[in-house]
Amino acid sequence: MDYTAIFACQSGFRTERSTADAVWTHKWLAAKTLSEKVEIVITGIDMSATFDTINRQSLLNILKGIVMEDEVRLIRFLISETTKIIGASDNKSFLDNIGTPQGDSLSPVLFIIYLENALKDVRKYVPSAQSRFENEPPMEIAYADDMDFIGLKQVNVNDIQRALQNHQLYVNNDKTDVTCYSTIWC
């Protein structure tokens, strides 16, 4: 399997990519709507506590298909028996057995790999999140845990939620929005 596409739509956690890439893509889509006289609907979702909800065993299983056995073993060691501290003044800590530790350079990469695996299910079960053509990449804009699904109609957010919940990822409904680019009112 070719995993180079994992990072294709992701602007967060990539070198030489930023929020400006996502903003530029939105501006380009708006201009394309005018020049091509088509309507484009963007369904934007934001996920809640994504680093904190990742199933570590699922992540390790995904990694087995990508990296060598020694690397999986090393990552297992790095993410096992981690602790979280509550409150800077109390320094109360507890053992944490889900999610990826934050604050290091590996965690964002692990998150993107885990998210891409979950997005495969979203694309399978949410027809409007699929590409129109067989060899075309999915129509998505991603920045960290923010995802914009681009299509000719609005993506059903409930279907996205169900697909992501199978991977212990949760959509923040308060931050879900729909944007329509059109030469007429959507």
Side-chain angles (χ1 to χ4, degrees):
M1 174 174 263
D2 180 17
Y3 282 91
T4 56
I6 288 175
F7 301 105
C9 69
Q10 182 63 254
S11 292
F13 311 126
R14 288 185 62 194
T15 58
E16 299 181 24
R17 294 286 294 269
S18 69
T19 309
D21 293 286
V23 171
W24 181 90
T25 303
H26 276 268
K27 293 211 175 268
W28 182 84
L29 287 168
K32 200 70 170 160
T33 299
L34 293 173
S35 69
E36 301 291 327
K37 302 207 182 336
V38 294
E39 180 178 295
I40 297 172
V41 180
I42 300 173
T43 307
I45 64 165
D46 179 82
M47 289 176 272
S48 299
T50 49
F51 281 80
D52 297 331
T53 61
I54 291 174
N55 180 307
R56 290 180 182 176
Q57 189 55 53
S58 295
L59 173 62
L60 292 170
N61 290 338
I62 295 164
L63 290 171
K64 286 178 185 175
I66 302 172
V67 299
M68 294 185 291
E69 186 179 331
D70 287 346
E71 293 165 326
V72 172
R73 198 172 310 123
L74 180 60
I75 292 168
R76 177 182 287 117
F77 176 76
L78 290 171
I79 65 174
S80 65
E81 297 185 26
T82 59
T83 57
K84 286 194 176 175
I85 298 173
I86 303 174
S89 61
D90 296 342
N91 286 333
K92 293 180 182 176
S93 64
F94 63 94
L95 191 61
D96 183 28
N97 60 4
I98 61 170
T100 59
Q102 296 180 44
D104 62 22
S105 59
L106 180 61
S107 292
V109 175
L110 295 177
F111 166 72
I112 291 171
I113 291 169
Y114 190 84
L115 175 61
E116 175 57 28
N117 187 67
L119 288 173
K120 288 178 189 174
D121 280 352
V122 171
R123 294 179 200 123
K124 235 187 288 183
Y125 299 113
V126 182
S128 51
Q130 297 171 352
S131 298
R132 292 173 297 167
F133 306 106
E134 187 176 324
N135 294 324
E136 183 179 87
M139 297 292 289
E140 301 163 359
I141 302 170
Y143 187 85
D145 64 345
D146 296 323
M147 293 293 306
D148 290 338
F149 296 94
I150 305 159
L152 302 177
K153 63 181 182 174
Q154 181 179 344
V155 174
N156 186 329
V157 177
N158 292 329
D159 290 340
I160 293 172
Q161 287 176 323
R162 279 192 291 280
L164 290 174
Q165 284 175 355
N166 291 334
H167 300 273
Q168 292 177 279
L169 295 172
Y170 303 96
V171 174
N172 182 340
N173 290 324
D174 294 336
K175 293 185 178 179
T176 298
D177 61 1
V178 177
T179 304
C180 180
Y181 295 130
S182 176
T183 56
I184 58 170
W185 185 256
C186 296

